[in-house]
Every structure is written in structure tokens, then in C-alpha cells.
Amino acid sequence: MSASAIVMLCVAIVTVWGGLAAAIVNIVRHPEEPEDPED
């Protein structure tokens, strides 16, 4: 593989896993509170 292909691969991996990690951190810091349905 060429150097540019490896760099693009690393960028894609960091983008995907970084986004996943950011989402997990966001959920942990601000968990969704279940809404109580009012009947």
C-alpha cells in the first residue's frame, strides 16, 4: 500500500472510532432520563 493510502486509512479509522468514543462519552455524561407518561 502507498503511504497516502495508509494515511487515509488511519484518518478513516480515527474518524469512525473517535466518533464512537465521543458518542459514548456524551451518553455517559448526559444519560437520557426516561419520560414518565402521564395518563
Side-chain angles (χ1 to χ4, degrees), residues 16-27:
V16 171
W17 289 103
L20 181 64
I24 291 172
V25 168
N26 191 23
I27 292 287

Side-chain angles (χ1 to χ4, degrees), residues 1-4 7 9 11-12 14-20 22 24-25 29 31 35-38:
M1 291 173 65
S2 64
S4 62
V7 169
L9 178 66
V11 169
V14 168
T15 300
V16 171
W17 289 103
L20 181 64
I24 291 172
V25 168
R29 285 187 178 175
E35 297 179 4
D36 295 331
E38 298 180 7

